[in-house]
Amino acid sequence: MSRPFAYSLSREIDPRRGAPLYLQIVHALIHDVRSGRLAPGAALPSSRELAESLGVNRKTIVLAYDELVAQGWFATHGTRGTFVSAELPETLPAPRKASADPRTPGFPFRATPDPAFVPAGEGLAIDDGLPDARLFSIDTLLGAYRDAGRRAARCGGLGYGDPRGTGELRRAIAAMLASHRGLIVDAEDVCITRGSQMGIFLAARILVAPGDVVLVEGLGYSAARAAFAGAGAEVIGVRLDEDGVDVEDVERLCRGRPVRAIYVTPHHQFPTTVPLTPERRLRLLDLSAEYEFAIIEDDYDHEYHFERQPLLPMASYAPGRVIYVGSMSKLLLPGLRIGYVVAPPPVVKSMANAAAGVDRQGNALTELAVAALVDSGELRRHVRKARQIYAQRRDAFGASLARAFGDAIRFRIPAGGLAFWTTFRDEATLDALERDAAANGLRFLPSSCFAAPPQRGRGLRLGFGSLDAGEAERVIGRLRRAAGAGIAETALPC
């Protein structure tokens, strides 16, 4: 009785796998039943016999048999033993061809493409403008978590709560925006999200129906385009120049067909870093009122402006026409996953309802800790210190780029933000750099990921904020080597 089981099951189980042995045996026996190798009513060997045949502990087989009886695959008949059930729990046809890998999906599903906004491959990643997590005191963060946990435990704040986010953090962000960005809002206008990308996704979810037109900047953030396209929108790129998005092109497109929304990064345009001029901001607001489309304003790194006082967000002038998306990732740490959306209360409520269908609510403990950092002034102290460091790194990075590449590349020193936008006089040089990046231990966003059809354009967005002086020199040196012979002889090697 035990011989056929030793032959069939010994090939299916392996103690080196991650799954418990008894579950491996359960799955193997179910496969034998479904394939017809074990017919309904067939007698099973005793637990002792099968354990000896497979070389496992008898308790492992007892656990497996008990599980199969509980699921309805096996049945026990007193002292007669264990049998395959006469009435099986499911009547699925036997698989036509057994897969070599049991983890191969046995059902259809929609495969999604890899995100273009995450650098692929191996090697040193050049980010697109992240802060340096080392600049924020981990002891300060842990202290905020400890105090937040104690407060939450006393007040019952660790259960389910408002899907808009904790009241403490919404009030703290509203006060911060009113004080430093001119947005006169309160907690009812704020919805906390798990990063700014979630805010963009939720905006697409409540604004867009299949077939709607959404305008985006001709060079821009591919993850935002993906969010709108995923909601069924037709996404159209608008011309972009040194003054930001071309509002005349926006008006031309609005005259041609109804536009549902436009997504813009007016403060430090992503990826080019150019600011949208005050005149164009006002004209875009006028067009929004005339053609009744929403403006989604992504202000992802407002505080890091180095040349002059930053312009106020468009949301501060026309809060009823703008969905304002912000993030604490650049101010604190990306890993905290704290973003926010500011909009009229009915819009905030709809976005929170949509968010609740995904994850019910955010992390209350993290939100309380971040609220404490804002209220205590710790966040402002950190930003003041970090801004000085980033300004120095910006200047040094620009000087190193110029030494390494000479006139082979074009770039401007960004007035704000944590990245450079670089274009190449000869695209063959860019092709060579991207082709040989991995061989030089580098990975970064592909130059092709920024353009939104019908617009065109290529370049590299090179983050400097997360690199100290030595790291920046090494990165630029590797970029120079990857570019190879395409660099003019006048460029000096790093």
Side-chain angles (χ1 to χ4, degrees):
M1 178 72 73
S2 63
R3 186 173 301 167
F5 287 89
Y7 174 75
S8 63
L9 292 185
S10 61
R11 296 182 303 170
E12 303 290 339
I13 64 172
D14 186 344
R16 293 170 297 182
R17 293 181 186 168
L21 274 179
Y22 89 94
L23 283 180
Q24 294 184 42
I25 294 170
V26 166
H27 294 153
L29 287 170
I30 290 175
H31 177 76
D32 280 354
V33 173
R34 292 180 56 192
S35 66
R37 184 178 295 162
L38 288 175
L44 281 300
S46 71
S47 58
R48 190 179 304 279
E49 290 173 324
L50 188 54
E52 292 176 355
S53 174
L54 298 178
V56 301
N57 190 288
R58 178 171 174 264
K59 291 183 179 179
T60 301
I61 305 301
V62 171
L63 281 173
Y65 276 11
D66 287 347
E67 179 66 23
L68 288 162
V69 169
Q71 292 186 26
W73 293 96
F74 288 0
T76 56
H77 298 294
T79 58
R80 293 176 56 202
T82 304
F83 299 81
V84 178
S85 295
E87 296 183 2
L88 299 177
E90 61 178 47
T91 56
L92 295 175
R96 293 182 179 180
K97 182 179 180 181
S99 170
D101 187 349
R103 298 168 298 175
T104 299
F107 48 84
F109 68 100
R110 185 179 64 191
T112 57
D114 293 336
F117 51 91
V118 177
E122 298 181 355
L124 176 63
I126 305 176
D127 60 64
D128 61 358
L130 296 182
D132 191 340
R134 297 167 295 189
L135 299 182
F136 192 81
S137 166
I138 188 63
D139 291 334
T140 299
L141 179 63
L142 293 177
Y145 266 105
R146 182 179 60 251
D147 294 343
R150 289 171 177 167
R151 291 199 315 274
R154 289 196 302 268
C155 304
L158 294 178
Y160 287 121
D162 193 329
R164 295 175 299 176
T166 62
E168 290 88 339
L169 183 55
R170 289 189 290 122
R171 286 190 290 272
I173 287 177
M176 178 187 75
L177 296 178
S179 174
H180 302 292
R181 304 191 193 180
L183 274 71
I184 309 304
V185 296
D186 58 31
E188 299 302 306
D189 302 286
V190 179
C191 179
I192 305 301
T193 61
R194 264 56 71 206
S196 60
Q197 178 62 30
M198 182 178 178
I200 298 166
F201 177 88
L202 293 175
R205 181 75 180 270
I206 69 164
L207 288 175
V208 177
D212 283 346
V213 172
V214 173
L215 305 182
V216 297
E217 295 154 326
L219 290 173
Y221 184 41
S222 63
R225 299 199 301 271
F228 299 124
E234 179 184 354
V235 182
I236 300 176
V238 178
R239 285 197 302 263
L240 193 72
D241 60 28
E242 61 184 9
D243 290 326
V245 68
D246 185 343
V247 290
E248 291 184 1
D249 198 30
V250 173
E251 184 173 11
R252 178 185 64 81
L253 291 166
C254 289
R255 286 174 177 170
R257 54 194 303 187
V259 170
R260 193 74 182 89
I262 184 170
Y263 168 82
V264 289
T265 52
H267 191 46
H268 306 131
Q269 199 277 329
F270 185 98
T272 69
T273 77
V274 300
L276 186 62
T277 62
E279 296 79 13
R280 289 192 177 184
R281 293 175 184 232
L282 293 175
R283 180 57 183 151
L284 188 58
L285 289 170
D286 289 342
L287 291 173
S288 170
E290 181 178 354
Y291 291 99
E292 297 183 341
F293 59 78
I295 297 174
I296 303 167
E297 181 179 14
D298 187 351
D299 198 2
Y300 59 94
D301 59 359
H302 185 92
E303 272 70 18
Y304 296 128
H305 203 78
F306 310 117
E307 300 297 334
R308 57 186 181 275
Q309 186 70 18
L311 294 173
L312 294 178
M314 289 187 290
S316 66
Y317 298 103
R321 305 225 59 85
V322 179
I323 294 177
Y324 183 78
V325 179
S327 173
M328 306 300 283
S329 295
K330 300 295 191 296
L331 298 182
L332 291 169
L333 302 168
L336 292 177
R337 304 311 305 138
I338 296 290
Y340 55 88
V341 175
V342 176
V347 176
V348 164
K349 184 176 186 298
S350 291
M351 296 180 82
N353 291 344
V358 178
D359 67 351
R360 178 56 177 83
Q361 68 178 64
N363 186 315
L365 185 58
T366 296
E367 292 178 14
L368 291 171
V370 172
L373 293 173
V374 176
D375 290 338
S376 67
E378 191 63 46
L379 175 64
R380 295 304 306 170
R381 288 190 287 273
H382 167 69
V383 169
R384 283 196 296 270
K385 177 187 74 173
R387 185 163 46 219
Q388 294 176 351
I389 293 172
Y390 292 145
Q392 295 169 358
R393 291 183 179 182
R394 176 200 63 165
D395 295 341
F397 196 89
S400 293
L401 274 179
R403 287 196 303 271
F405 287 88
D407 62 358
I409 63 173
R410 300 184 184 94
F411 68 89
R412 67 173 70 188
I413 301 295
L418 301 179
F420 278 69
W421 174 245
T422 60
T423 58
F424 289 70
R425 295 183 184 277
D426 183 354
E427 287 202 348
T429 303
L430 176 56
D431 293 336
L433 192 157
E434 292 193 293
R435 182 187 65 238
D436 295 335
N440 286 275
L442 290 173
R443 57 191 176 100
F444 42 77
L445 294 181
S447 64
S448 59
C449 78
F450 302 104
Q455 307 302 319
R456 302 176 63 186
R458 294 174 61 197
L460 295 181
R461 184 170 164 94
L462 305 175
F464 64 84
S466 61
L467 304 172
D468 63 25
E471 292 164 341
E473 287 289 338
R474 288 193 293 273
V475 162
I476 293 173
R478 292 187 188 186
L479 285 169
R480 170 65 177 81
R481 288 192 293 273
I487 303 300
E489 293 298 328
T490 55
L492 301 177
C494 288

